[in-house]
Amino acid sequence: MGIYTSLLRPLIFTLPPERAQRLADAALWPKPLWMPLRSRLLLRDVKLETSMGGIPLPNPVGLAAGYDKDCRRTGSLSNLGFGYIVGGTVVTQPREGNPRPRIVRTPANGSMVNALGFPSKGLAAAAKKLRKPSTGGVPLLASISGFSIEDIVRCYTTLQPLVAGVELNISSPNTEGVRLFQEPDRLNELLAELRKLKQKPIFVKLPPHFSEAERSLTTKFVDLCMSHSIEGVTVANTWLVEDDRLAVGRGGLSGKPLFIHMLNMVREVRQQAGDGLTINASGGISSGEDALRALRAGANTLQVFTGFVYQGPALMHSINSYLLSFINRMGLPDVDAIRREFPE
């Protein structure tokens, strides 16, 4: 991570976040440029292999939704050491999203706040890219959302045949209309419709909770997922905060400040669900130590985004190396044994 954090990141961070993202997107366009990195960044060891909802993974470190919103750069990203990639979030129709500025960084605490509002080229554009995936065996999932059951069902039926699984985003804090599915009755109705169509695993991305009322809602969401045979949950989405640097004045906080909250939520969901759900830990993971703590808290897999922005392409290899060292030092058979034998 040295060259990126000491040389490239300071240069990239002189640019506004969205301009930096466009630069990264352009750099990822020529897939052959990134293929030589695969052998250096993708750490292969049978002890790191795991699964999420029945999907085999080469390692437990995934790219969270939001980085590759239109599923255009999955081929290049698959060379950076990820065990899986979540593209999207995809919605049915093209959207401009919220007004700019809509992403801000706070390097002092390793965080970002975004108020993007689901900018998207739409379902047809994403499906076109996903019909010709080239991820070299790294599983690809699609994050989907919408503003009605019909919208989400359309996304699901279109993309399900093209991906290994689907992540259902009901929890974006800065997109009006999505939060209607945080009403248990509406979520129950949605999951019932998807269950009729389900052929691939579904993972529901939960909102974070910071109060007893929000915690009670999470409990209801988890119960609903289990009652509808949903394979897993992603814990959790960003945290809604006020920030006057953004045009809309508020957005979703991501990065290190969420880490402890994410750990507590993973523990609670694991205690409630037992072994009945796959848990993907998402929130503030930026090192091998963080990853180990998330697995010990009860997670099956890990998702990174803000940590990837701050630490660069070597992050996944660093995390997997740390986990493999722990596995070997403790004489464990595989990465799943961390959760079973060393609960935190």
Side-chain angles (χ1 to χ4, degrees):
M1 288 184 277
I3 294 176
Y4 178 84
T5 55
S6 64
L7 180 61
L8 295 180
R9 187 179 71 191
L11 292 174
I12 293 170
F13 276 24
T14 62
L15 300 174
E18 283 201 75
R19 189 177 300 174
Q21 178 64 44
R22 289 195 295 272
L23 177 64
D25 190 62
L28 287 166
W29 177 72
K31 183 184 174 184
L33 180 68
W34 298 93
M35 291 179 66
L37 291 178
R38 189 180 188 88
S39 59
R40 297 181 60 184
L41 298 180
L42 181 58
L43 180 58
R44 289 199 173 275
D45 191 292
V46 67
K47 294 180 182 179
L48 289 171
E49 294 176 4
T50 185
S51 65
M52 56 184 295
I55 303 169
L57 307 178
N59 69 68
V61 186
L63 175 63
Y67 190 88
D68 187 14
K69 295 175 181 59
D70 294 301
C71 307
R72 299 192 303 163
R73 301 294 182 253
T74 56
S76 294
L77 289 165
S78 69
N79 293 310
L80 303 186
F82 293 107
Y84 66 98
I85 294 168
V86 185
T89 294
V90 178
V91 292
T92 54
Q93 300 300 320
R95 285 173 55 87
E96 290 294 323
N98 291 326
R100 295 179 173 86
R102 52 190 184 179
I103 308 177
V104 292
R105 313 182 191 98
T106 307
N109 66 1
S111 72
M112 296 170 59
V113 182
N114 92 80
L116 289 164
F118 287 170
S120 173
K121 295 185 180 298
L123 176 59
K128 182 178 180 180
K129 293 295 182 181
L130 291 171
R131 287 191 183 99
K132 295 182 178 180
S134 54
T135 58
V138 176
L140 178 61
L141 284 75
S143 170
I144 64 171
S145 194
F147 310 100
S148 68
I149 290 177
E150 292 74 21
D151 280 351
I152 293 176
V153 165
R154 184 180 168 198
C155 282
Y156 186 72
T157 54
T158 301
L159 298 183
Q160 177 180 218
L162 307 178
V163 292
V166 173
E167 186 175 82
L168 177 59
N169 186 351
I170 63 165
S171 51
S172 171
N174 49 56
T175 307
E176 291 298 327
V178 170
R179 279 170 283 176
L180 69 93
F181 295 109
Q182 293 179 35
E183 299 172 9
D185 288 345
R186 296 304 303 273
L187 180 60
N188 181 56
E189 187 179 355
L190 172 61
L191 294 181
E193 289 299 312
L194 294 180
R195 186 176 186 178
K196 299 172 187 176
L197 306 165
K198 186 162 76 77
Q199 297 176 342
K200 302 283 182 67
I202 295 177
F203 306 90
V204 176
K205 191 163 190 176
L206 300 175
H209 62 233
F210 299 94
S211 69
E212 285 305 317
E214 292 169 342
R215 180 175 286 105
S216 177
L217 270 180
T218 297
T219 300
K220 292 177 182 178
F221 297 153
V222 171
D223 282 340
L224 284 172
C225 287
M226 297 180 73
S227 70
H228 286 287
S229 300
I230 299 301
E231 282 75 12
V233 293
T234 298
V235 178
N237 215 317
T238 55
W239 176 16
L240 185 64
V241 295
E242 303 294 321
D243 196 312
D244 59 12
R245 295 175 294 174
L246 299 166
V248 296
R250 54 172 24 187
L253 176 70
S254 64
K256 289 184 178 181
L258 269 64
F259 181 68
I260 296 300
H261 300 285
M262 178 273 289
L263 284 184
N264 292 334
M265 192 170 172
V266 167
R267 290 189 195 99
E268 292 169 6
V269 174
R270 178 58 69 201
Q271 184 175 8
Q272 178 185 352
D275 292 329
L277 285 176
T278 291
I279 300 177
N280 309 312
S282 180
I285 296 171
S286 60
S287 69
E289 294 91 334
D290 294 342
L292 179 62
R293 291 192 66 187
L295 294 176
R296 293 181 64 188
N300 298 84
T301 85
L302 317 156
Q303 293 187 5
V304 297
F305 183 134
T306 304
F308 176 45
V309 171
Y310 275 93
Q311 302 301 324
L315 175 62
M316 288 61 69
H317 189 279
S318 176
I319 289 175
N320 283 311
S321 295
Y322 188 93
L323 295 177
L324 185 59
S325 176
F326 181 86
I327 291 166
N328 289 333
R329 188 167 68 251
M330 296 300 168
L332 301 177
D334 53 41
V335 70
D336 294 326
I338 294 174
R339 182 180 70 259
R340 298 191 305 266
E341 300 188 28
F342 289 91
E344 185 179 83

